[in-house]
Amino acid sequence: MEIKKRIEELNDLEKIVKLREDLDKYRNSYYNDNISLISDYEFDMLLKELEGLEEKYPQYKEISSPTTSVGASLKENKFKKVEHIHPMLSLANSYNIGEIVDFIERIKKKISKEQELKYCLEVKLDGLSISLTYRQGKLVRAVTRGDGLIGEDVTENILEIASIVKTLPQAIDMEIRGEVVLPLASFEKLNNERLEKEEELFANPRNAASGTLRQLDSKIVKDRCLDAYFYFLVEADKLGLKSHSESIKFLESMGIKTTGIFELLETSKDIEKRINYWEKERENLPYETDGLVIKVDEINLWDEIGYTSKTPRWAIAYKFPAHQVSTILNSITWQVGRTGKLTPVAELQEVELSGSKVKRASLHNISEIQRKDIRIGDRVFIEKAAEIIPQVVKSIKEDRTGNEKIIEEPINCPVCNHKLEREEGLVDIKCVNEECPAKVQGEIEYFVSRDALNIMGLGSKIVEKFIDLGYIKTVVDIFDLKNHREALENIDKMGKKSIENLLNSIEESKNRDYDKVIYALGIAEIGKVTSKILAKASKNIDKLMTMTFEELTSIDGIGEIAANEIITFFKKEKNQKIIESLKEKGLKFEIKESETNVQNINPNFAGKNFLFTGTLKHFTREQIKEEIEKLGGKNLSSVSKNLDYLIVGEKAGSKLKKAQEIPTIKILTEEEFIELKDKFD
Ligand SMILES: NC(=O)c1ccc[n+]([C@@H]2O[C@H](COP(=O)([O-])OP(=O)(O)OC[C@H]3O[C@@H](n4cnc5c(N)ncnc54)[C@H](O)[C@@H]3O)[C@@H](O)[C@H]2O)c1
Ligand SMILES: [Zn+2]
């Protein structure tokens, strides 16, 4: 027994040493070089593991351990070192509401007075902390947190941030703390510029903000548009302020920029509600947040509640589920789509991201792989933002061993082995073999999908099988499957019942409206809404097939690109034949009389691109998106020249600014949007 325990202890000690070594490496890279070698969540989990072990073996505790020290010791001598008069601490963090409940319980036990506490809830800005000192109302010094005791004097750079107050309206002395951030719009712009200049991308706005503030050329700070928000007044009680919320109001009265988000709450239930709210709403803020901060509001209780060497006990951070994690890229699979286009898919070592397990991520195309210099064997960051499919953000080159392999551009189709083609100047690689099974399969799946003919019982496995066995070569063959009823029933014991259902669904699909049939043809650029528009404008397929470029582009909602695709599609003999055969099978190639007034297409919305920003009063995010689509409009995810309308709610941020610079974008309040909508209803 004794020996067993001793072995366990030695193993744990080894773990402790390894964890400290790794965490120090990560901290150094993160704080000194502004590079994340792993995600914040992974870092926090390793730190928790170390905390657990140090608790189990108090004899191995060390003051320099990452569990007890803030930040990282400063490596370079770029900036003057300054000792903080009041140490700048970090925050304890939590990833679930249970930990918040525990936090509140701990505090209640700790304070002697029986009283109802108030908690101030704020957003947790993801940037780097800064301390500003004012003397006689003048900003005299700005210092980074550093290791909490000693920071770097970055006053020169801070003076270049436009929103920082250089002279207060009153000649007072004070120290305030806040966060320097790179607003999301500036971050996107910066990374786009770096992409063009083939420079290394910043993984996130925090690293970019830190990299920007901690370099010597203050002109760069100005160019990149850093910003700062403040959330703390040091020794507020000496100015006669009794609560944290009062001190924030005081800062605002001095013209200091705050996020404006400070909510006073009383119970953990209320806190939970607001956590759920902000978890979604944070997407609309102009800066990145990695969580919320909950602080005891009454300042006179802070000392009683106390501090650890690293954090105050009267505050806690609630961290949002991570959008980004790191993992290993094992290999690349080239997927051949319906149009023959090859898409590289990253095959990853499985990780958890935003609550689901992920082992594949999109890489868009070969140029992106080359631009980002992503190699097989690399540790990569993957991200799941608004998109459903995770994306590979970047590779971590600092972590390479030298055994990583460059990803080669494929020469032959991975499915049919036909030689691939790449159009001059275009990034897409295509399989041009009309009979490539992957393309046929893609076409069939698209043809039977919900928004097209909506045929039940033709999942991708079955389609693959039918193609393999030679029952399906083109979409037309779907309607001849009934001639092979018996043979089909015997495939992999599919059975009478399921074939019966499938054949019924195929027959029934002949009743689909003309616009669904247009959609099912799979013309490039023609989606659900444009199919409706085309159906309404052409009335029947013979007309549509002969429409000229001028005729097509004169239809509201059909642009030049779409018009060209339509013409190219109908020019192909193969497509003409397919349409002829589908007509014979009985599909509807003309609009019903009653349909000529295609319902729900609002001329204000049809084919128009929409985006909303800020907090909306009358709709949830889902509702408004649905509303726009129902009426024939399209939802975009960012501001661009293609945007027609930006709907602005309260606290609209960078999107609004960006949209105001593009004269063709109409900006609507929520009320104006409703009016536009109702004019039609
Ligand atoms: N990915 C990596 O390799 C790596 C390495 C080291 C650290 N980290 C990350 O950094 C964290 C540790 O950094 P940290 O000590 O800065 O802790 P933290 O970022 O988790 O929390 C403390 C900081 O939050 C900031 N903050 C933002 N809004 C605030 C508000 N409203 N009120 C108070 N503070 C606010 C302050 O700057 C404060 O110092 C780790 O938990 C990890 O997530 C990551
Ligand atoms: Zn092929």
Side-chain angles (χ1 to χ4, degrees):
M1 194 56 202
E2 258 310 295
I3 292 182
K4 238 182 163 179
K5 249 189 131 175
R6 185 75 192 131
I7 291 176
E8 185 187 319
E9 183 172 339
L10 282 174
N11 281 337
D12 284 344
L13 182 58
E14 207 172 306
K15 266 193 220 153
I16 291 177
V17 173
K18 174 91 170 76
L19 280 167
R20 282 185 189 155
E21 224 176 75
D22 285 349
L23 286 164
D24 275 337
K25 179 173 100 180
Y26 300 142
R27 288 205 297 174
N28 181 46
S29 171
Y30 181 83
Y31 292 111
N32 284 316
D33 304 331
N34 316 307
I35 294 169
S36 302
L37 297 176
I38 55 169
S39 71
D40 290 356
Y41 178 74
E42 291 160 296
F43 181 91
D44 290 344
M45 290 304 116
L46 292 176
L47 194 69
K48 279 226 159 89
E49 191 183 343
L50 179 59
E51 266 165 15
L53 288 167
E54 288 181 354
E55 220 156 89
K56 190 167 163 195
Y57 305 102
Q59 66 269 37
Y60 298 137
K61 275 195 181 162
E62 264 177 29
I63 12 170
S64 67
S65 169
T67 55
T68 50
S69 52
V70 173
S73 51
L74 299 167
K75 270 275 164 65
E76 300 160 74
N77 277 317
K78 273 203 275 194
F79 298 95
K80 202 172 84 196
K81 306 262 191 306
V82 177
E83 197 171 332
H84 295 293
I85 299 169
H86 305 276
M88 286 181 83
L89 298 182
S90 177
L91 284 170
N93 62 47
S94 62
Y95 280 89
N96 58 59
I97 185 75
E99 291 176 84
I100 305 283
V101 174
D102 293 346
F103 160 78
I104 290 177
E105 288 309 311
R106 271 199 308 273
I107 289 174
K108 284 197 175 146
K109 269 201 206 120
K110 189 101 188 182
I111 52 170
S112 44
K113 246 192 324 183
E114 266 298 314
Q115 73 176 96
E116 284 307 313
L117 293 179
K118 287 204 186 73
Y119 302 91
C120 191
L121 179 130
E122 308 164 12
V123 286
K124 185 171 180 297
L125 296 148
D126 199 10
L128 70 154
S129 17
I130 192 80
S131 152
L132 301 187
T133 304
Y134 290 88
R135 289 272 170 271
Q136 294 295 304
K138 292 258 177 301
L139 174 61
V140 293
R141 208 168 62 187
V143 185
T144 64
R145 191 179 65 181
D147 66 358
L149 303 173
I150 298 173
E152 294 168 313
D153 186 331
V154 290
T155 315
E156 294 271 305
N157 287 349
I158 284 291
L159 288 173
E160 294 298 341
I161 298 179
S163 68
I164 295 251
V165 176
K166 280 97 192 173
T167 310
L168 299 172
Q170 282 174 37
I172 51 167
D173 291 356
M174 68 174 190
E175 184 189 341
I176 62 173
R177 287 173 184 175
E179 200 85 349
V180 174
V181 298
L182 190 65
L184 289 168
S186 316
F187 170 69
E188 261 169 51
K189 190 167 151 259
L190 175 61
N191 257 358
N192 282 338
E193 285 166 10
R194 290 173 79 88
L195 203 64
E196 264 163 40
K197 286 190 259 174
E198 296 191 3
E199 288 170 355
E200 182 69 1
L201 298 187
F202 285 113
N204 51 53
R206 194 221 81 98
N207 291 359
S210 175
T212 304
L213 190 66
R214 297 179 57 248
Q215 47 79 44
L216 291 171
D217 184 357
S218 55
K219 192 178 162 295
I220 296 182
V221 177
K222 191 172 184 177
D223 289 348
R224 289 190 187 164
C225 301
L226 281 183
D227 205 351
Y229 295 86
F230 292 84
Y231 46 69
F232 195 71
L233 172 61
V234 179
E235 296 195 311
D237 48 342
K238 293 211 170 133
L239 287 163
L241 299 160
K242 293 204 160 42
S243 66
H244 180 59
S245 42
E246 271 177 36
S247 71
I248 295 300
K249 286 206 188 88
F250 174 76
L251 290 188
E252 286 171 348
S253 76
M254 290 286 118
I256 305 285
K257 186 167 180 176
T258 70
T259 61
I261 302 167
F262 296 90
E263 303 180 359
L264 272 186
L265 304 170
E266 285 176 10
T267 65
S268 51
K269 269 268 157 298
D270 294 340
I271 295 175
E272 184 173 6
K273 266 193 213 143
R274 298 311 291 168
I275 285 178
N276 291 334
Y277 172 81
W278 283 111
E279 209 149 290
K280 295 198 189 75
E281 201 48 38
R282 65 162 168 150
E283 311 290 351
N284 289 325
L285 297 170
Y287 40 75
E288 182 101 319
T289 54
D290 61 343
L292 298 167
V293 186
I294 295 134
K295 297 171 182 166
V296 170
D297 195 41
E298 289 84 345
I299 294 176
N300 61 0
L301 291 176
W302 290 354
D303 279 345
E304 197 177 338
I305 300 168
Y307 299 81
T308 72
S309 63
K310 197 178 165 180
T311 61
R313 292 189 204 273
W314 44 265
I316 192 166
Y318 171 87
K319 293 226 183 166
F320 294 132
H323 281 333
Q324 271 192 6
V325 290
S326 76
T327 184
I328 302 293
L329 173 66
N330 288 331
S331 63
I332 294 284
T333 306
W334 291 92
Q335 265 181 0
V336 185
R338 173 171 68 86
T339 58
K341 189 175 127 185
L342 265 72
T343 314
V345 177
E347 306 285 350
L348 308 162
Q349 194 175 307
E350 188 171 277
V351 278
E352 198 169 308
L353 174 60
S354 307
S356 50
K357 294 221 182 327
V358 171
K359 49 183 183 184
R360 311 186 91 194
S362 166
L363 269 164
H364 301 294
N365 54 48
I366 185 80
S367 313
E368 186 182 77
I369 293 176
Q370 288 162 350
R371 260 197 332 252
K372 292 185 173 170
D373 183 18
I374 289 167
R375 302 183 188 178
I376 292 172
D378 268 344
R379 177 167 283 280
V380 291
F381 271 115
I382 59 168
E383 179 175 75
K384 196 153 143 185
E387 303 90 329
I388 312 154
I389 313 161
Q391 316 278 319
V392 176
V393 182
K394 62 173 281 174
S395 60
I396 303 160
K397 302 179 182 69
E398 295 75 12
D399 226 22
R400 281 191 179 150
T401 61
N403 295 329
E404 293 75 16
K405 280 211 295 286
I406 289 182
I407 297 165
E408 306 283 354
E409 185 174 330
I411 311 284
N412 294 321
C413 174
V415 178
C416 70
N417 210 31
H418 196 281
K419 199 158 169 359
L420 296 168
E421 280 184 16
R422 184 167 172 177
E423 275 176 60
E424 266 302 302
L426 292 180
V427 288
D428 290 342
I429 310 170
K430 278 190 167 176
C431 173
V432 289
N433 174 12
E434 294 284 357
E435 269 137 46
C436 176
K439 279 167 74 171
V440 175
Q441 165 132 14
E443 278 164 19
I444 308 278
E445 281 175 23
Y446 188 82
F447 191 82
V448 304
S449 66
R450 249 216 354 234
D451 293 327
L453 288 209
N454 193 16
I455 296 175
M456 315 292 257
L458 271 183
S460 66
K461 283 259 156 56
I462 297 179
V463 172
E464 197 179 333
K465 187 120 248 163
F466 286 179
I467 293 175
D468 247 13
L469 295 171
Y471 291 119
I472 297 184
K473 292 198 182 63
T474 73
V475 293
V476 181
D477 299 328
I478 294 174
F479 299 94
D480 289 332
L481 283 175
K482 58 180 178 219
N483 303 336
H484 311 286
R485 184 185 285 263
E486 234 168 78
L488 299 182
E489 284 168 3
N490 290 321
I491 300 173
D492 289 350
K493 302 188 244 36
M494 280 187 56
K496 265 191 160 56
K497 188 80 198 134
S498 62
I499 295 300
E500 176 73 26
N501 289 343
L502 170 62
L503 295 178
N504 284 342
S505 183
I506 291 173
E507 280 313 298
E508 192 256 340
S509 77
K510 293 178 182 171
N511 300 323
R512 297 288 172 268
D513 288 340
Y514 175 42
D515 65 288
K516 301 274 184 196
V517 179
I518 296 180
Y519 177 84
L521 294 175
I523 307 167
E525 301 290 325
I526 305 304
K528 265 192 288 184
V529 174
T530 28
S531 298
K532 275 198 176 141
I533 295 173
L534 286 177
K536 193 179 166 191
S538 67
K539 304 222 171 37
N540 64 64
I541 195 86
D542 297 327
K543 173 73 189 148
L544 183 60
M545 288 172 83
T546 53
M547 276 172 116
T548 63
F549 181 80
E550 285 69 33
E551 282 175 302
L552 286 167
T553 46
S554 70
I555 304 171
D556 237 357
I558 303 296
E560 297 184 0
I561 298 174
N564 278 326
E565 292 292 351
I566 295 165
I567 292 169
T568 316
F569 182 88
F570 289 120
K571 235 192 234 157
K572 283 196 186 142
E573 211 185 306
K574 176 191 156 206
N575 294 333
Q576 294 170 1
K577 275 198 184 135
I578 285 181
I579 290 167
E580 222 31 64
S581 311
L582 289 177
K583 270 188 192 165
E584 278 165 28
K585 300 290 174 203
L587 263 63
K588 278 204 262 177
F589 278 103
E590 57 188 16
I591 208 156
K592 276 194 300 228
E593 260 326 302
S594 60
E595 257 180 88
T596 20
N597 228 332
V598 183
Q599 230 189 354
N600 278 344
I601 289 194
N602 182 331
N604 291 325
F605 291 78
K608 294 277 187 337
N609 294 322
F610 285 78
L611 178 67
F612 51 90
T613 178
T615 318
L616 301 176
K617 284 193 297 260
H618 303 282
F619 304 91
T620 66
R621 302 167 63 79
E622 281 320 307
Q623 277 169 348
I624 194 159
K625 278 190 179 169
E626 216 173 84
E627 199 70 27
I628 288 168
E629 266 170 32
K630 243 177 33 202
L631 295 158
K634 221 175 115 188
N635 292 294
L636 295 193
S637 58
S638 63
V639 175
S640 71
K641 286 201 196 77
N642 299 332
L643 187 65
D644 296 297
Y645 292 103
L646 181 76
I647 304 157
V648 288
E650 269 176 53
K651 300 214 186 83
S654 62
K655 285 182 184 153
L656 174 58
K657 243 195 210 149
K658 215 166 152 188
Q660 281 164 337
E661 286 162 16
I662 304 175
T664 50
I665 299 177
K666 292 190 202 71
I667 294 166
L668 301 178
T669 63
E670 215 180 330
E671 284 71 25
E672 287 168 332
F673 167 75
I674 294 170
E675 208 175 294
L676 188 71
K677 182 169 92 67
D678 289 348
K679 251 192 217 153
F680 172 78
D681 278 352

